[in-house]
Amino acid sequence: MSARRAVTVVGIGDDGCASLSSRAASAVARAEVLVGGERHLEFFPQFRGEKIALKGGLSAVLDRVESLSAEQNVCILASGDPLFFGIGALVVKKLGEEHVEILPSLSSVQWAFARTGIAWDDAAFVSVHGRSPEGFATRLRRLSKVAVLTDGESSPARLAARLLEHGDAAWKAWVCESLAGAGERVRAFELPALAAAEDIGPLNVLLLLRSDPAWRPPPVVPYLHEDAFAKRMPKNGLITKREVRTLSIAAMALRPDAVVWDIGAGSGSVSIEAAMLCPLGRVYAIEVDPEGVEICRDNVRTHGVDNVRVVAGRAPEALAALEDPDAVFVGGSKGSMDDIITAALDRLRPGGRLVVNAITLENVSEAYRALKARGLDPEITMLQVSRGVPLARYMRYEALNPIHIFAATKPAGAQGADKAPPAPSGGARSASEAS
């Protein structure tokens, strides 16, 4: 028989003691200290030991739990399954798994699927509880069945409005409130009605199911023709061709949570495809031309990606306030190629990738010199693409402008800027602390 563990984390539902198994009830009964949210502690008015409410910073509470557990039995109450977007992982990390026992109850997500009668073995789970909703629409692009943990700021109504704003309306939604509690309510919505709803309680789970039976997930690798971004063409008519875009994005070695800078974003084509490949990350589209800024914003909305931030300004000055990137793409320099490469390499995270597209001989020469001056031996590709176009009853080739693609990795031991701006709150790397 294993040794008794000093701290037990007990999952509990909105129906209070009725949700506890005999083992969980015994853990509460033998506890000398009971820790939990105020609504959870109210389920145990008869408890005679010390009660500690989980509010404010969790770090101080867990420090106290660690101290008390040396001599007393401590029971921590948590919603549903403590290891499903809950406090359980934080407790184990703080105290060590050998000192903690987890006794889960049914999670709110399990209750939601049970109440709606929808199978959940193929569902995805997304939490915006305590997190920014940025990237929510992008993450859902490849999903067909989703359970969403919400909060007051990222409510079901606001999330529905966000999906509608980004052109993703073909969902059926269920809002499941106060599950297993006295005020339980389960309602089905179409997204426009949900976006207008004003009577949804704070304790809820949002279920989303694709309503179009013909829906298929988008391709794993985007390969969009320039026409997809040319509803409004930049005044200089320049747009990164899809063959070039594919190789350039591949050269950036993007990961799902990458932070990307697209300098000289133009129509936003590189930003948008990079955002599709980084649903847990962010893309900063930096563009100096006011018309280009608006075109970029229009294209971002049209393509349904909500993890692109369009930055109006000239590089390198406009880069100062941005968080450090994992990858940088330079598609336009406005005569500041050397300064942009220097600033990008200073801020790029060690091991990150810098990719530069250059068409003119002047930019080719300047990009090469700037990279070599930093001690880098770039990968260089000269890409020349010809496309088949009709000629009467025949086909002929039409050549596109040749382009040089420079790619370099920042050495793992290299240092960035002396002081980099902090990542925005609620970003992809932030963690929720929910009990």
Side-chain angles (χ1 to χ4, degrees), residues 326-402:
D326 300 291
V328 176
F329 174 76
V330 182
S333 64
K334 295 291 185 182
S336 302
M337 180 68 76
D338 187 84
D339 291 340
I340 288 171
I341 288 177
T342 297
L345 287 171
D346 281 345
R347 295 286 304 283
L348 191 63
R349 290 189 173 101
R353 295 279 285 175
L354 170 65
V355 175
V356 179
N357 280 6
I359 296 176
T360 68
L361 293 177
E362 290 78 9
N363 272 351
V364 169
S365 176
E366 192 173 0
Y368 183 69
R369 284 200 312 269
L371 291 167
K372 292 293 287 185
R374 296 296 295 261
L376 298 174
D377 289 316
E379 306 160 17
I380 307 172
T381 303
M382 202 280 279
L383 183 64
Q384 190 161 4
V385 175
S386 294
R387 292 176 177 174
V389 295
L391 176 64
R393 295 183 295 110
Y394 306 97
M395 293 290 291
R396 67 175 181 87
Y397 282 115
E398 182 174 85
L400 305 180
N401 280 333

Side-chain angles (χ1 to χ4, degrees), residues 173-233:
W174 289 262
V175 177
C176 308
E177 304 167 71
S178 301
L179 289 160
E184 179 179 283
R185 180 168 60 169
V186 177
R187 290 179 288 171
F189 292 89
E190 301 297 328
L191 281 197
L194 178 56
E198 298 180 350
D199 62 341
I200 296 173
L203 299 177
N204 67 75
V205 175
L206 171 64
L207 300 185
L208 294 168
L209 187 65
R210 292 280 178 186
S211 58
D212 181 2
W215 178 86
R216 295 293 181 271
V220 173
V221 178
Y223 192 59
L224 297 171
H225 194 275
E226 305 80 77
D227 292 347
F229 306 100
K231 183 177 179 181
R232 289 173 60 195
M233 181 68 73

Side-chain angles (χ1 to χ4, degrees), residues 24-87:
S26 296
V28 176
R30 68 170 181 264
E32 297 161 278
V33 179
L34 191 61
V35 182
E38 291 179 341
R39 68 187 178 92
H40 291 151
L41 294 176
E42 289 173 359
F43 290 132
F44 301 92
Q46 76 282 6
F47 185 79
R48 296 294 176 238
E50 181 180 0
K51 290 183 178 181
I52 301 175
L54 278 173
K55 57 183 179 181
L58 283 177
S59 180
V61 174
L62 292 182
D63 285 343
R64 191 173 179 196
V65 166
E66 183 178 32
S67 176
L68 293 170
S69 66
E71 297 182 358
Q72 301 182 72
N73 290 329
V74 180
C75 182
I76 301 177
L77 303 172
S79 297
D81 184 343
L83 292 175
F84 186 75
F85 294 106
I87 196 176

Side-chain angles (χ1 to χ4, degrees), residues 1-8 23 30 73 97-101:
M1 183 175 179
S2 61
R4 179 185 61 80
R5 301 182 182 188
V7 177
T8 306
R23 188 172 178 180
R30 68 170 181 264
N73 290 329
E97 58 88 18
E98 69 274 16
H99 301 299
V100 180
E101 182 177 20

